[in-house]
Amino acid sequence: MPSLKSWFPIPKNSHFSLANLPFGIISTASKATPRPAVAIGDHCLDLQEFSASGAFSSLGFDVSVFSKPTLNDFASLGRPVHGSVRKFLQDVFAENSSNAQVLQNNKSLQEKCLIPRDGVTMHLPMQIRDYTDFYAGKNHAFNVGCLFRGPDNALQPNYTHLPVGYHGRASSVVVSGTPITRPNGQILENPAATPKVPTFSPCKRLDIELELGAFLCKGNKMGTNIPISEAADHIFGFVLLNDWSARDIQAWEYVPLGPFLGKNFGSTISPWIVLADALEPFRSTGIPNDTQLLPYLQEKEKNVYDIKLQVDITPDGGETTTILNSNGRNLLFSFAQMLAHHSIGGCPMAVGDLLGSGTISGTEPGSEGSMLEISKGGKETVKLNGGVERKFLQDGDTITMYGVCGTEETGLVGFGECTGKILPAPKL
Amino acid sequence: MAPLKSWLQINAKSHFSLHNIPFGIISTPDTPEPHAAVAIGEYALDLQVFSQQNGFSALSIIQPHQKVFSEPTLNAFAALGRPIHRVVREYLQSVFLDNGPFPDVLEKNEQLRKAALLPLKDCKMHLPMFIHDYTDFYAGLNHAYNVGVLFRGPQNALQPNYKHLPVGYHGRASSVVVSSTPIRRPNGQILTNLAAEKKEPVFSECKKLDIELELGCFVCKPSQLGEPVRIEDAPEHLFGVVLLNDWSARDIQAWEYVPLGPFNAKNFGTTISAWVVLMDALEPFANAGMANDTELLPYLDEKDRKSNYAIDLSVSLTTSSGKTTNIGKTSAKNLLFSFPQMLAHHTIGGCPFNVGDLLGSGTISGESKNEKGCLLEQTDNGKTEITLEGGEKRKFLENGDTVTLTGVCGSEEGALVGFGDCVGRIDPAVQLSF
């Protein structure tokens, strides 16, 4: 498929090619109100300004959605509208477009709407009603299980039958760029001792988790379920997600009710939501499941995506090192399956809900999605560029996650950055 | 202290005595948009009408903020903070006081009484707050012990962490509903044969549907990412208390919950009572709660402050034949940790809070046989049955069963502080075909 060529300067290697057009929420120095935008090359298109010009009038939807401080109202319009808006914008930016009068030949509108991205502040793209984190990265679950129970008991009996998940803390999801403060908490210094008496200290095993996030554009009434055949109608788009984890705090607290303070001190998402439509060409099979799934989880389509994922670490004032490369295919369950499972008992889902995939690890060394795995449970140090070593995160470290699909020829479809810097724990 | 007496006829046994004044969100046929009210005796005082017709004219501090009473949730009122809640509640008590200081506001104002004092039976109740996040704790030690014995035996009943920190998990905010909302039996994956070598779940409706008798506490003051709420300051962050029924699908839970905790077993519905009893109304009933023989870390140490409450709790089950049986009575004293301790723990790593966030206490059970807050404990995980009025038996809930939680503080007639009902009826599971 030849790439869409644009009259607008889009660098060849940009993750925001015309094949992408992700949606986010921006503000600028000249206009501080957060409002919707689309990323294109090194710029973004201010959708509030653009829609005020009447540019969308032929599409027949309520453009007041582009004057809201989140994308929830736009998402609520449904996937057919998302699709028509995105196609229209692709056409407006296309070379030899039949819509050249809209923007290409309208210098004053370009000046109002097209803003260099490096001058823009990004905000959380959606108001998150509820956040759920799943555990569908089978290689990660296996690696972690091995560390604690050995290979024969690594995965629980339920693991391949259902997408295991837990409710997360919606208030703790922040946009890329937000600093993450190392949590204090109860830690069992010596797990082998009896009796078990915890101490209070800053987390000493601060970790990352490379995940994908899916935002919903449609919910369901409590007491009803979302059939898997309809799940696609409910999914708006995707982001990168870093499920920062305090491994030592988690180890002491998590039996029997699951991870809690080990997670809710912060979770970071990338700011540009890549629409499901933009990922269509990159559908793939995920990790094969040799368990026969119950009918409500059986899906016909390939609902996992071939996304190249990368995580870099940059110590304070130091050199950047890539610590892992993975792929979005490394999932046992798709978001459609997670959604069907989450709602099967009648749980009400809503516009703006966020689903996390779980840590995405490959099978090869160098593809593990967390430092817990990379350091083999904190036993081995990882050597970084500049002569630095790490097992877990240190204060001042910045973690940046990237994800991209496709080729320059067809137009790269990427997620921008999902980044966060670790600040020292407060002294209490 | 003698009970406060009102010029309004209030039944001496009413849970909405002049000592209470709980806040809720109502709508009526005449005013269909949800808005604020307080409950008094058999009436709701419609705060939207009351404020719009200058009922608060003698209370200057509330003057700039009266719009909050027309909001569809109590969040904006709660955000005004505990000093204002206190003053508003005391003012309303004064307005209703027999021989009180403000007889012209309502007692002698027939027109306002007609417009603003509405029979409770004519009011539709709504969720009192917009809940951003809901967390359920596990601080009912007797419940945790009883359940632990069922699954691990007495030696290993409580996990090593249990007394050191208030164990909790994030709940599903979207699934919290107001009293009287029907609850549909969930379908899900169930392992019918636990002993089998190869664990093969089946898909069916939940066959072990249970209740959990809890308290809920709403937050009225936000906290920022990275900034813990100190235990000394935690009470200022708490608005008021409701009853909470954490409906549970025990069979779905057993298969799914290792290692990440309960999920679909809980998120099909959680019911709260409609009237939020303010912290100030509970203050006379403050209690130390259960003694903790473990030395707590300083961030959880409340010293001599008493932050649990002597609330008499009761559970009854009404079958579809209409017969009601009391199936449990216990006290909210049976909590190892308090709401301030739960909040201090929840924020200790920097987790941020919003006004309207909800904390569940965990199932409250006493020590004796008749004091169990869930059917799992009452029937030893379905080994025995309870017998209801009229002879019907139950292990777990049947379709058509209605469960009612009630709670009241105090025993002095005319001074009771209660929560109203927390009710839900079980509807049959959806028949799904594939």
Side-chain angles (χ1 to χ4, degrees), chain A residues 148-220:
Chain A
F148 297 116
R149 287 179 294 277
D152 288 340
N153 297 309
L155 294 178
Q156 300 293 335
N158 58 18
Y159 186 83
T160 54
H161 289 273
L162 54 80
V164 179
Y166 66 99
H167 305 114
R169 179 77 185 183
S171 71
S172 67
V173 181
V174 296
V175 77
S176 178
T178 306
I180 300 293
T181 302
R182 179 182 299 271
N184 289 303
Q186 292 198 20
I187 291 162
L188 198 61
E189 302 270 354
N190 186 358
T194 31
K196 302 204 186 301
V197 181
T199 52
F200 183 79
S201 86
C203 164
K204 294 179 178 148
R205 299 184 126 208
L206 190 55
D207 201 355
I208 61 167
E209 287 197 340
L210 167 68
E211 307 195 18
L212 290 171
F215 275 110
L216 299 192
C217 56
K218 185 173 167 183
N220 60 302

Coordinates of all heavy atoms in Angstrom, one line a residue, chain A residues 148-220:
Chain A
F148 N 9.2 -17.0 41.4 CA 8.6 -17.3 42.8 C 8.2 -18.7 43.0 O 8.1 -19.1 44.2 CB 7.4 -16.3 43.0 CG 7.8 -14.9 43.0 CD1 7.4 -14.0 42.0 CD2 8.7 -14.4 43.9 CE1 7.7 -12.7 42.0 CE2 9.1 -13.0 43.9 CZ 8.6 -12.2 42.9
R149 N 7.9 -19.5 41.9 CA 7.4 -20.8 42.2 C 8.1 -21.9 41.4 O 7.7 -23.0 41.5 CB 5.9 -20.8 41.9 CG 5.0 -20.1 42.9 CD 3.5 -20.2 42.4 NE 3.3 -19.5 41.2 CZ 3.1 -18.2 41.2 NH1 3.1 -17.4 42.3 NH2 2.9 -17.6 40.0
G150 N 9.0 -21.5 40.5 CA 9.6 -22.5 39.6 C 8.8 -22.8 38.4 O 7.6 -22.5 38.4
P151 N 9.4 -23.3 37.3 CA 8.7 -23.5 36.0 C 7.4 -24.3 36.1 O 6.5 -24.0 35.4 CB 9.7 -24.1 35.1 CG 11.0 -24.2 35.9 CD 10.8 -23.8 37.3
D152 N 7.4 -25.4 36.9 CA 6.2 -26.2 36.9 C 5.0 -25.6 37.4 O 3.9 -25.9 37.0 CB 6.5 -27.5 37.7 CG 7.5 -28.4 37.0 OD1 7.6 -28.3 35.7 OD2 8.1 -29.3 37.6
N153 N 5.1 -24.6 38.3 CA 4.0 -23.9 38.9 C 4.0 -22.5 38.6 O 3.3 -21.7 39.3 CB 4.0 -24.1 40.5 CG 3.9 -25.5 40.9 OD1 3.0 -26.3 40.4 ND2 4.9 -26.0 41.7
A154 N 4.7 -22.1 37.5 CA 4.8 -20.7 37.2 C 3.5 -20.0 36.9 O 3.2 -19.0 37.5 CB 5.7 -20.5 36.0
L155 N 2.6 -20.7 36.1 CA 1.3 -20.1 35.8 C 0.3 -20.8 36.6 O 0.3 -22.0 36.8 CB 1.0 -20.3 34.3 CG 1.9 -19.6 33.3 CD1 1.5 -19.9 31.9 CD2 1.9 -18.1 33.5
Q156 N -0.6 -20.0 37.1 CA -1.8 -20.5 37.9 C -2.7 -21.3 37.0 O -2.7 -21.1 35.8 CB -2.6 -19.4 38.5 CG -1.8 -18.5 39.5 CD -1.4 -19.2 40.7 OE1 -2.0 -20.2 41.1 NE2 -0.3 -18.7 41.3
P157 N -3.5 -22.2 37.5 CA -4.4 -23.0 36.7 C -5.4 -22.2 35.9 O -5.8 -22.6 34.8 CB -5.1 -23.9 37.7 CG -4.3 -24.0 38.9 CD -3.5 -22.7 38.9
N158 N -5.7 -21.0 36.4 CA -6.7 -20.2 35.6 C -6.1 -19.4 34.5 O -6.9 -18.9 33.6 CB -7.4 -19.2 36.6 CG -6.4 -18.3 37.3 OD1 -5.3 -18.1 36.9 ND2 -6.9 -17.7 38.4
Y159 N -4.8 -19.4 34.4 CA -4.1 -18.3 33.5 C -4.5 -18.4 32.1 O -4.8 -17.3 31.4 CB -2.6 -18.4 33.7 CG -2.0 -17.3 32.9 CD1 -1.9 -16.0 33.5 CD2 -1.6 -17.4 31.6 CE1 -1.4 -14.9 32.8 CE2 -1.0 -16.3 30.9 CZ -0.9 -15.1 31.5 OH -0.4 -14.0 30.8
T160 N -4.6 -19.6 31.5 CA -4.9 -19.7 30.1 C -6.4 -19.7 29.8 O -6.8 -19.7 28.6 CB -4.2 -20.9 29.4 OG1 -4.6 -22.1 30.2 CG2 -2.7 -20.8 29.4
H161 N -7.2 -19.9 30.9 CA -8.7 -20.0 30.7 C -9.4 -18.6 30.6 O -10.4 -18.5 30.0 CB -9.3 -20.8 31.8 CG -8.9 -22.3 31.7 ND1 -9.7 -23.2 31.0 CD2 -7.9 -23.0 32.3 CE1 -9.2 -24.4 31.1 NE2 -8.1 -24.3 31.9
L162 N -8.8 -17.7 31.3 CA -9.5 -16.3 31.4 C -8.4 -15.3 31.5 O -7.3 -15.5 32.0 CB -10.4 -16.3 32.6 CG -9.9 -16.6 34.0 CD1 -9.2 -15.5 34.6 CD2 -11.1 -17.0 34.9
P163 N -8.7 -14.1 30.9 CA -7.7 -13.0 31.1 C -7.7 -12.5 32.5 O -8.7 -11.7 32.9 CB -8.2 -11.9 30.1 CG -9.5 -12.3 29.6 CD -9.9 -13.6 30.2
V164 N -6.8 -12.9 33.3 CA -6.7 -12.5 34.7 C -6.5 -10.9 34.8 O -5.7 -10.4 34.0 CB -5.5 -13.2 35.4 CG1 -5.4 -12.7 36.9 CG2 -5.7 -14.7 35.3
G165 N -7.2 -10.3 35.7 CA -7.1 -8.8 35.8 C -7.5 -8.4 37.2 O -8.0 -9.2 38.0
Y166 N -7.2 -7.1 37.4 CA -7.6 -6.5 38.7 C -7.9 -5.1 38.5 O -7.4 -4.4 37.5 CB -6.4 -6.6 39.8 CG -5.2 -5.8 39.4 CD1 -5.0 -4.5 40.0 CD2 -4.3 -6.3 38.5 CE1 -3.9 -3.8 39.6 CE2 -3.2 -5.5 38.1 CZ -3.0 -4.3 38.7 OH -1.9 -3.5 38.3
H167 N -8.8 -4.5 39.3 CA -9.2 -3.1 39.2 C -8.0 -2.3 39.6 O -7.4 -2.5 40.6 CB -10.4 -2.8 40.1 CG -11.6 -3.7 39.8 ND1 -12.0 -4.6 40.8 CD2 -12.4 -3.8 38.7 CE1 -13.1 -5.2 40.3 NE2 -13.3 -4.8 39.1
G168 N -7.7 -1.3 38.8 CA -6.6 -0.3 39.1 C -7.2 0.9 39.7 O -8.4 1.1 39.9
R169 N -6.3 1.9 40.0 CA -6.7 3.1 40.6 C -6.7 4.2 39.5 O -5.7 4.7 39.1 CB -5.7 3.5 41.7 CG -6.0 4.8 42.4 CD -7.1 4.7 43.4 NE -7.4 6.1 43.9 CZ -8.3 6.3 44.9 NH1 -9.0 5.3 45.4 NH2 -8.6 7.5 45.3
A170 N -8.0 4.6 39.1 CA -8.1 5.5 38.0 C -7.4 6.9 38.3 O -6.8 7.5 37.4 CB -9.6 5.8 37.7
S171 N -7.5 7.3 39.5 CA -6.9 8.6 39.9 C -5.4 8.7 39.7 O -4.9 9.8 39.7 CB -7.3 9.0 41.3 OG -6.6 8.2 42.3
S172 N -4.8 7.5 39.7 CA -3.3 7.5 39.6 C -2.8 7.5 38.2 O -1.5 7.4 38.0 CB -2.8 6.4 40.5 OG -3.1 5.1 39.9
V173 N -3.6 7.5 37.2 CA -3.1 7.4 35.8 C -2.8 8.9 35.4 O -3.6 9.8 35.5 CB -4.2 6.9 34.8 CG1 -3.6 6.8 33.4 CG2 -4.6 5.5 35.3
V174 N -1.6 9.1 34.9 CA -1.1 10.4 34.6 C -0.6 10.4 33.2 O -0.2 9.4 32.6 CB 0.0 10.9 35.5 CG1 -0.6 11.0 37.0 CG2 1.2 10.0 35.5
V175 N -0.5 11.6 32.6 CA 0.0 11.7 31.2 C 1.5 11.7 31.2 O 2.2 12.1 32.2 CB -0.6 13.0 30.5 CG1 0.2 14.2 31.0 CG2 -0.5 12.8 29.0
S176 N 2.1 11.2 30.1 CA 3.5 11.2 29.9 C 4.2 12.5 30.2 O 3.6 13.6 29.9 CB 3.8 10.9 28.4 OG 5.2 10.9 28.1
G177 N 5.3 12.5 30.9 CA 6.0 13.7 31.3 C 5.8 14.0 32.8 O 6.5 14.8 33.3
T178 N 4.7 13.4 33.4 CA 4.5 13.7 34.8 C 5.6 13.0 35.6 O 5.8 11.8 35.5 CB 3.1 13.1 35.2 OG1 2.1 13.6 34.3 CG2 2.7 13.5 36.6
P179 N 6.2 13.7 36.5 CA 7.2 13.0 37.4 C 6.5 12.0 38.3 O 5.4 12.2 38.7 CB 7.8 14.2 38.2 CG 7.3 15.4 37.6 CD 6.1 15.1 36.8
I180 N 7.2 10.9 38.6 CA 6.7 9.8 39.4 C 7.5 9.8 40.7 O 8.8 9.6 40.7 CB 6.8 8.5 38.7 CG1 6.0 8.5 37.4 CG2 6.4 7.3 39.6 CD1 4.5 8.6 37.6
T181 N 6.9 10.0 41.8 CA 7.6 10.0 43.1 C 7.7 8.6 43.7 O 6.7 7.9 43.8 CB 6.8 10.9 44.1 OG1 6.7 12.2 43.6 CG2 7.5 11.0 45.5
R182 N 8.9 8.2 44.0 CA 9.2 6.9 44.6 C 8.3 6.8 45.9 O 8.3 7.7 46.8 CB 10.6 6.8 45.0 CG 11.0 5.5 45.7 CD 12.5 5.5 46.1 NE 13.3 5.6 44.9 CZ 13.8 4.6 44.1 NH1 13.5 3.4 44.5 NH2 14.5 4.9 43.1
P183 N 7.5 5.7 46.0 CA 6.6 5.6 47.2 C 7.4 5.1 48.4 O 8.4 4.4 48.3 CB 5.6 4.5 46.7 CG 6.4 3.7 45.7 CD 7.3 4.6 45.0
N184 N 6.9 5.5 49.5 CA 7.3 4.9 50.8 C 6.2 3.8 51.1 O 5.1 3.9 50.6 CB 7.2 5.9 52.0 CG 8.3 6.9 51.9 OD1 9.5 6.6 51.9 ND2 8.0 8.2 51.8
G185 N 6.6 2.9 52.0 CA 5.6 1.9 52.3 C 6.1 0.8 53.2 O 7.3 0.9 53.6
Q186 N 5.3 -0.2 53.5 CA 5.7 -1.3 54.4 C 6.4 -2.3 53.5 O 6.0 -2.7 52.4 CB 4.5 -1.9 55.0 CG 3.8 -1.1 56.0 CD 2.9 -1.8 56.9 OE1 3.0 -3.1 57.1 NE2 2.0 -1.2 57.6
I187 N 7.6 -2.7 54.0 CA 8.4 -3.6 53.2 C 8.9 -4.7 54.2 O 9.3 -4.4 55.3 CB 9.6 -2.9 52.6 CG1 9.1 -2.0 51.5 CG2 10.7 -3.9 52.0 CD1 10.1 -0.9 51.1
L188 N 8.9 -6.0 53.8 CA 9.4 -7.0 54.6 C 10.9 -7.2 54.1 O 11.1 -7.8 53.1 CB 8.6 -8.3 54.3 CG 8.7 -9.4 55.4 CD1 8.3 -8.9 56.7 CD2 7.9 -10.6 54.9
E189 N 11.8 -6.7 54.9 CA 13.2 -6.8 54.5 C 13.7 -8.2 54.4 O 14.4 -8.6 53.5 CB 14.1 -6.1 55.5 CG 13.8 -4.6 55.7 CD 14.5 -3.7 54.8 OE1 15.4 -4.2 54.1 OE2 14.2 -2.5 54.8
N190 N 13.3 -9.0 55.4 CA 13.7 -10.4 55.4 C 12.5 -11.4 55.3 O 11.9 -11.7 56.3 CB 14.5 -10.7 56.7 CG 15.1 -12.0 56.7 OD1 15.0 -12.8 55.7 ND2 15.9 -12.3 57.7
P191 N 12.2 -11.8 54.1 CA 11.0 -12.6 53.9 C 11.1 -14.0 54.6 O 10.1 -14.6 54.9 CB 10.9 -12.8 52.4 CG 11.7 -11.7 51.8 CD 12.8 -11.4 52.8
A192 N 12.3 -14.4 54.9 CA 12.5 -15.7 55.5 C 12.4 -15.7 57.0 O 12.2 -16.8 57.6 CB 13.9 -16.3 55.1
A193 N 12.4 -14.5 57.6 CA 12.4 -14.5 59.0 C 11.0 -14.8 59.6 O 10.0 -14.7 58.9 CB 12.7 -13.0 59.5
T194 N 11.0 -15.3 60.8 CA 9.7 -15.4 61.6 C 10.0 -14.8 63.0 O 11.0 -15.1 63.6 CB 9.3 -16.9 61.9 OG1 10.4 -17.7 61.9 CG2 8.3 -17.4 60.8
P195 N 9.1 -14.0 63.5 CA 7.9 -13.6 62.9 C 8.2 -12.5 61.8 O 9.2 -12.0 61.7 CB 7.1 -12.9 64.0 CG 8.1 -12.4 65.0 CD 9.3 -13.4 64.8
K196 N 7.2 -12.3 61.0 CA 7.3 -11.3 59.9 C 7.0 -9.9 60.3 O 5.8 -9.6 60.6 CB 6.5 -11.8 58.7 CG 6.8 -13.2 58.2 CD 6.4 -13.4 56.8 CE 6.6 -14.9 56.4 NZ 8.1 -15.3 56.6
V197 N 8.0 -9.1 60.5 CA 7.7 -7.7 60.9 C 8.2 -6.8 59.9 O 9.4 -6.7 59.5 CB 8.5 -7.5 62.3 CG1 8.2 -6.0 62.7 CG2 8.0 -8.4 63.3
P198 N 7.4 -6.0 59.3 CA 7.8 -5.1 58.2 C 8.4 -3.8 58.7 O 8.2 -3.5 59.9 CB 6.4 -4.7 57.5 CG 5.5 -4.8 58.6 CD 5.9 -5.9 59.6
T199 N 9.2 -3.2 57.9 CA 9.8 -1.9 58.2 C 9.1 -0.9 57.3 O 8.5 -1.3 56.3 CB 11.3 -1.9 58.0 OG1 11.6 -2.3 56.7 CG2 12.0 -2.7 59.0
F200 N 9.3 0.4 57.6 CA 8.8 1.5 56.8 C 9.9 2.2 56.1 O 10.8 2.6 56.8 CB 8.0 2.4 57.7 CG 7.3 3.5 56.9 CD1 6.2 3.3 56.2 CD2 7.9 4.8 56.8 CE1 5.5 4.3 55.5 CE2 7.3 5.8 56.1 CZ 6.1 5.6 55.4
S201 N 9.9 2.2 54.8 CA 11.0 2.8 54.1 C 10.6 3.2 52.7 O 9.5 2.7 52.2 CB 12.2 1.9 54.0 OG 12.2 1.0 52.9
P202 N 11.4 4.0 51.9 CA 11.2 4.1 50.5 C 11.3 2.8 49.8 O 12.1 1.9 50.2 CB 12.3 5.1 50.0 CG 12.8 5.7 51.3 CD 12.6 4.7 52.4
C203 N 10.5 2.6 48.7 CA 10.6 1.4 47.9 C 12.0 1.2 47.4 O 12.6 2.2 46.9 CB 9.6 1.6 46.8 SG 9.9 0.4 45.4
K204 N 12.5 0.0 47.5 CA 13.9 -0.3 47.1 C 13.9 -1.1 45.8 O 15.0 -1.4 45.3 CB 14.7 -1.0 48.2 CG 14.9 -0.2 49.4 CD 15.6 -0.9 50.5 CE 15.8 0.1 51.6 NZ 15.9 -0.5 52.9
R205 N 12.7 -1.5 45.3 CA 12.7 -2.3 44.1 C 11.6 -1.6 43.2 O 10.6 -2.2 42.9 CB 12.3 -3.7 44.4 CG 13.3 -4.4 45.3 CD 12.9 -5.9 45.5 NE 14.0 -6.8 45.2 CZ 13.8 -8.0 44.7 NH1 12.6 -8.5 44.5 NH2 14.9 -8.7 44.4
L206 N 12.0 -0.4 42.7 CA 11.0 0.3 41.9 C 11.2 -0.2 40.4 O 12.3 -0.2 39.9 CB 11.3 1.8 42.0 CG 10.3 2.7 41.4 CD1 8.9 2.5 41.9 CD2 10.7 4.2 41.7
D207 N 10.1 -0.5 39.8 CA 10.2 -1.1 38.5 C 9.2 -0.5 37.5 O 8.4 0.4 37.8 CB 9.8 -2.6 38.7 CG 10.3 -3.5 37.6 OD1 10.9 -3.0 36.6 OD2 10.1 -4.7 37.7
I208 N 9.4 -0.9 36.3 CA 8.5 -0.5 35.2 C 7.7 -1.7 34.7 O 8.0 -2.8 35.1 CB 9.3 0.0 34.0 CG1 10.2 -1.1 33.4 CG2 10.1 1.2 34.3 CD1 10.8 -0.8 32.1
E209 N 6.6 -1.4 33.9 CA 5.9 -2.5 33.2 C 5.5 -1.9 31.9 O 4.7 -1.0 31.8 CB 4.8 -3.1 34.0 CG 5.2 -3.9 35.2 CD 4.1 -4.8 35.8 OE1 2.9 -4.5 35.6 OE2 4.5 -5.8 36.5
L210 N 6.0 -2.5 30.8 CA 5.7 -2.1 29.5 C 4.3 -2.7 29.1 O 4.2 -3.9 29.0 CB 6.8 -2.6 28.5 CG 6.5 -2.5 27.0 CD1 6.4 -1.1 26.5 CD2 7.5 -3.3 26.2
E211 N 3.4 -1.9 28.8 CA 2.0 -2.4 28.5 C 1.4 -1.5 27.4 O 1.9 -0.4 27.1 CB 1.1 -2.3 29.7 CG 1.6 -3.0 31.0 CD 0.6 -3.2 32.0 OE1 -0.6 -3.2 31.7 OE2 1.0 -3.5 33.2
L212 N 0.3 -2.0 26.8 CA -0.5 -1.2 26.0 C -1.8 -0.9 26.7 O -2.2 -1.7 27.6 CB -0.9 -2.0 24.7 CG 0.2 -2.2 23.7 CD1 -0.2 -3.2 22.6 CD2 0.7 -0.9 23.1
G213 N -2.4 0.3 26.5 CA -3.7 0.6 27.1 C -4.7 0.8 26.0 O -4.4 1.3 24.9
A214 N -6.0 0.4 26.2 CA -7.1 0.6 25.3 C -8.1 1.5 26.0 O -8.5 1.2 27.1 CB -7.7 -0.7 24.9
F215 N -8.6 2.5 25.3 CA -9.7 3.3 25.8 C -11.0 2.9 25.2 O -11.1 2.7 24.0 CB -9.4 4.8 25.5 CG -8.5 5.5 26.4 CD1 -7.2 5.9 26.1 CD2 -9.0 5.8 27.7 CE1 -6.4 6.5 27.0 CE2 -8.1 6.5 28.6 CZ -6.9 6.8 28.3
L216 N -12.0 3.0 26.0 CA -13.4 2.6 25.5 C -14.1 3.9 25.0 O -14.0 5.0 25.6 CB -14.2 1.9 26.6 CG -13.7 0.6 27.1 CD1 -14.7 -0.1 27.9 CD2 -13.2 -0.3 26.0
C217 N -14.9 3.7 24.0 CA -15.8 4.8 23.5 C -17.3 4.4 23.7 O -18.1 5.2 23.3 CB -15.5 5.0 22.0 SG -15.7 3.6 20.9
K218 N -17.5 3.3 24.2 CA -18.9 2.9 24.4 C -19.0 1.9 25.6 O -18.1 1.1 25.8 CB -19.4 2.2 23.2 CG -20.9 1.8 23.2 CD -21.3 1.3 21.8 CE -22.6 0.6 21.8 NZ -23.0 0.0 20.5
G219 N -20.0 2.1 26.4 CA -20.2 1.2 27.6 C -21.3 0.3 27.5 O -21.7 0.0 26.4
N220 N -21.7 -0.3 28.6 CA -22.9 -1.1 28.6 C -23.6 -0.9 30.0 O -23.0 -0.5 30.9 CB -22.5 -2.6 28.5 CG -21.5 -3.0 29.7 OD1 -20.5 -2.4 29.8 ND2 -21.9 -4.0 30.4

